Amino acid sequence: MTISLDRLRRCSIAVDLGAARTRVYLRRTGLVVDEPSVAAVNTRTGGLIAVGALAERMMGRTPDHIRVVRPVSGGRVVDIAMAQRMLRFLVGNKVRRAWRRKPLLSAAVCVPHDADPLAERAAVETLTGLGARRVELVDTLIAAAVGCGLPVERPEATMIVVCGAAATQVAVLSLGSIVSAEQVAVGGETIDHALVQHMRNEHALMLPSQAVRPLHQALSGTGAATDDTEVHGRDVATGLARSVQIDVEGIRAVVQTPLTGVLDAVGTVLRRCPPDLVADLAERGIMLAGGSAGLPGFDDLLREATGMPLHIAEHPDTCAVEGLGAMIEGSVRPVVLDPLAS
């Protein structure tokens, strides 16, 4: 998609509707919302009970009449009405009153690179339902690259890998546009699912969602590679609570197996690029961003497979919304090419 920086400078708010977290950037104010994209609803009355972090803590602990939902999946709005209610609650009365005072309010929102027209329309309707009169769509890959500080507007190759909760996007950019891009359905949720299945198959233990975090910390190097990690869960046969000791090296291969799909996507993107751009990447390397950029062992695996330098963004989880915020603040300037003299 083509981005007009002039139209983006007229926007007052930037929104990143992620599968894991929703972030809102207000012009001249900064990041005002950074909450999980979760809502808890009373199915009997239809009332909204909780949103954000409180609703996330309710997952797996609610009675039958309370349902915890995620209105955004894979960067796409799957429930427009619920996404509007969630955003309306998160932004609060102060921001909503500011919107009402600006009848011609414009907003910018991130969308995945391969978003179809239906997904783009869902994102637009979500923002218009909150009072926006015009919605600008920005590719998540470009917004994240700007947020990482990459010189996307120059005639130089920059490569970014955005690891989200449901998918990973890979792209090479030059002159403010995407030269080649690929998306694979591997993200933080894929790793969690692989760990849960491994524990069920090898140890007959069902893990709650919170029990995966100690495994992530152990694989990320918090402890020594030979250390054992204690995991609590429910026995598949008896249904009783049980704890097991897990060897960190034993589950490292479980994590690396789904990550090979990301390596294939990186190889596909590089094969599509002109040789000159690939030569630039061999010197500058790859930038890793996204909320799941800290997947255990992913940086080492990518560095060994490509032979290129790898850099992790300073704040990988907020790169997209910060880049979108820089665009609406007018901090990004396109390269002005003077016409050739006749």
Side-chain angles (χ1 to χ4, degrees):
M1 63 187 65
T2 304
I3 300 176
S4 173
L5 292 177
D6 291 335
R7 290 204 302 263
L8 285 175
R9 293 190 193 101
R10 302 190 188 105
C11 296
S12 302
I13 191 169
V15 180
D16 179 17
L17 290 170
R21 301 185 72 88
T22 294
R23 299 177 175 92
V24 179
Y25 184 102
L26 197 61
R27 189 175 184 180
R28 299 189 182 92
T29 303
L31 192 64
V32 294
V33 174
D34 187 359
E35 292 282 342
S37 304
V38 187
V41 185
N42 189 327
T43 57
R44 296 174 181 172
T45 63
L48 198 63
I49 298 176
V51 168
L54 180 58
E56 188 179 42
R57 290 197 295 269
M58 294 182 180
M59 297 185 68
R61 297 183 172 90
T62 59
D64 293 337
H65 68 282
I66 297 179
R67 185 167 58 100
V68 180
V69 297
R70 290 184 177 272
V72 183
S73 177
R76 296 169 173 82
V77 178
V78 295
D79 189 338
I80 297 176
M82 187 56 64
Q84 289 177 349
R85 296 176 67 184
M86 180 185 70
L87 265 178
R88 190 175 293 111
F89 184 89
L90 289 176
V91 297
N93 293 327
K94 181 179 179 180
V95 177
R96 290 207 306 270
R97 285 196 298 267
W99 289 3
R100 286 195 293 266
R101 288 196 297 267
K102 297 179 180 179
L104 299 179
L105 173 72
S106 296
V109 62
C110 293
V111 294
H113 173 69
D114 61 345
D116 52 27
L118 187 61
E120 294 179 352
R121 181 177 178 180
V124 171
E125 290 186 4
T126 300
L127 271 296
T128 53
L130 269 71
R133 297 298 182 266
R134 184 180 179 86
V135 179
E136 302 292 342
L137 302 177
V138 181
D139 199 306
T140 302
L141 290 166
I142 297 180
V146 173
C148 292
L150 296 178
V152 295
E153 72 280 0
R154 299 178 184 175
E156 303 170 357
T158 55
M159 189 171 194
I160 186 168
V161 178
V162 180
C163 305
T168 298
Q169 302 178 72
V170 184
V172 173
L173 301 94
S174 179
L175 286 174
S177 300
I178 295 177
V179 179
S180 177
E182 190 75 15
Q183 177 169 315
V184 59
V186 176
E189 295 176 355
T190 309
I191 302 301
D192 293 346
H193 180 72
L195 292 173
V196 170
Q197 287 297 114
H198 173 76
M199 295 300 299
R200 183 184 179 95
N201 297 335
E202 297 296 328
H203 301 277
L205 193 71
M206 295 184 65
L207 296 183
S209 57
Q210 291 82 3
V212 181
R213 296 178 182 176
L215 295 177
H216 277 225
Q217 295 174 359
L219 290 171
S220 299
T222 304
T226 57
D227 288 347
D228 290 337
T229 300
E230 187 176 13
V231 179
H232 308 279
R234 189 184 73 184
D235 190 275
V236 174
T238 65
L240 301 177
R242 183 163 63 91
S243 301
V244 295
Q245 295 289 335
I246 303 299
D247 180 30
V248 176
E249 285 296 331
I251 62 173
R252 195 174 298 276
V254 178
V255 175
Q256 291 183 352
T257 299
L259 292 179
T260 56
V262 180
L263 300 181
D264 295 338
V266 172
T268 301
V269 170
L270 291 176
R271 286 191 294 270
R272 293 174 183 170
C273 290
D276 292 341
L277 294 182
V278 177
D280 291 343
L281 296 175
E283 179 182 354
R284 295 184 178 87
I286 304 172
M287 179 64 72
L288 196 59
S292 300
L295 290 175
F298 181 45
D299 51 348
D300 295 333
L301 187 66
L302 191 60
R303 188 180 293 108
E304 294 175 3
T306 61
M308 297 180 182
L310 187 69
H311 313 283
I312 300 179
E314 185 176 358
H315 302 288
D317 51 344
T318 59
C319 282
V321 71
E322 291 290 349
L324 204 54
M327 292 180 186
I328 67 175
E329 296 281 6
S331 303
V332 181
R333 299 288 181 179
V335 175
V336 178
L337 301 178
D338 295 329
L340 295 176
S342 56

